[in-house]
Amino acid sequence: MLASSEPATPSSYLKMPHAEKGLAVGLFGGSFNPPHAGHALVAEIALRRLALDQLWWMVTPGNPLKSTRELAPLGERIVLSEKIAKNPKIKVTAFEAAHNVRYTADTLALVKARNPGVDFVWIMGADSLRDFHRWQRWREIVMTFPIAVIDRPGATLSLLSSVVAKTFDYARIDEGDAPRLARMKAPAWTFIHGPRSLLSSSAIRKMAKG
């Protein structure tokens, strides 16, 4: 496909969303290739259970651990994300593309430097917990912001077996204390149970291929 035929990424999405000091903000990043109702469910659970004022739905340029061969254009994934992320507290953004950051550790360092006084929490699906120790500078990620792990189908047991869960077992807080997580100093993390969607981006792409 020619670059000129790809949906352009509006400049407004390349700017980091604004958050006032004192707000609790969730950071929910992913390829969203494509975004689906399962992603929206994770976002809604996070907003409610973590008592967040905002959630930044961060559409990444690409996941370093995944092939980009089937990656849809960034502009297309943003448009689809906006259609799914209906809650006004959700801010769809692709600011990582403007700053040339590919690794989560760099993204979080940038967000922290640009937003003094804002309380952030990193949100990830439990399916990412299994391979989290393969992420670039994963220990640094855990030490930057508190983390909320949202349960996903078939991934509940990763809570017990993952390297990060074992390494930072001492920093885990009770699920009942999740509304206070964003205000806590890292390292701090919790595992949140709740409704789970069986949808997956890879399965949707496979169905689209027929």
Side-chain angles (χ1 to χ4, degrees):
M1 180 183 293
L2 294 174
S4 60
S5 66
E6 294 180 358
T9 302
S11 59
S12 58
Y13 289 104
L14 300 177
K15 298 175 183 176
M16 192 177 294
H18 176 71
E20 297 287 343
K21 290 182 179 180
L23 293 186
V25 179
L27 302 173
F28 182 37
S31 302
F32 301 112
N33 186 41
H36 53 69
H39 294 132
L41 180 61
V42 168
E44 290 292 342
I45 290 172
L47 278 166
R48 185 175 69 253
R49 299 287 294 278
L50 298 171
L52 299 176
D53 298 300
Q54 289 183 14
L55 181 140
W56 294 2
W57 180 298
M58 304 188 308
V59 186
T60 63
N63 184 334
L65 294 179
K66 294 180 181 178
S67 168
T68 58
R69 190 167 49 86
E70 295 184 338
L71 191 63
L74 182 61
E76 182 179 311
R77 289 180 284 131
I78 288 172
V79 169
L80 293 174
S81 292
E82 282 284 19
K83 290 180 179 178
I84 285 175
K86 300 291 189 184
N87 194 311
K89 290 184 177 182
I90 297 176
K91 313 296 180 185
V92 176
T93 178
F95 71 85
E96 288 170 297
H99 292 275
N100 267 344
V101 289
R102 292 186 67 226
Y103 297 107
T104 298
D106 295 322
T107 296
L108 300 192
L110 177 67
V111 168
K112 187 172 187 177
R114 292 283 187 93
N115 298 274
V118 179
D119 294 315
F120 288 98
V121 55
W122 175 253
I123 298 158
M124 59 189 288
D127 48 339
S128 296
L129 197 60
R130 281 187 302 260
D131 296 323
F132 190 68
H133 62 284
R134 295 177 55 208
W135 291 25
Q136 188 91 351
R137 310 198 312 276
W138 63 274
R139 287 181 174 85
E140 185 179 321
I141 295 171
V142 181
M143 298 300 292
T144 303
F145 292 136
I147 297 175
V149 182
I150 312 294
D151 201 4
R152 290 276 289 144
T156 308
L157 291 179
S158 62
L159 169 65
L160 305 174
S161 60
S162 78
V163 172
V164 68
K166 291 177 180 177
T167 304
F168 287 94
D169 179 64
Y170 70 92
R172 184 183 177 190
I173 69 163
D174 187 84
E175 187 176 350
D177 291 325
R180 299 192 300 113
L181 183 62
R183 312 295 185 183
M184 294 181 178
K185 184 178 179 181
W189 67 281
T190 194
F191 191 95
I192 296 179
H193 299 82
R196 296 177 296 177
S197 169
L198 292 172
L199 291 170
S200 78
S201 295
S202 55
I204 291 172
R205 290 196 305 272
K206 188 178 290 186
M207 286 175 62
K209 283 182 175 180

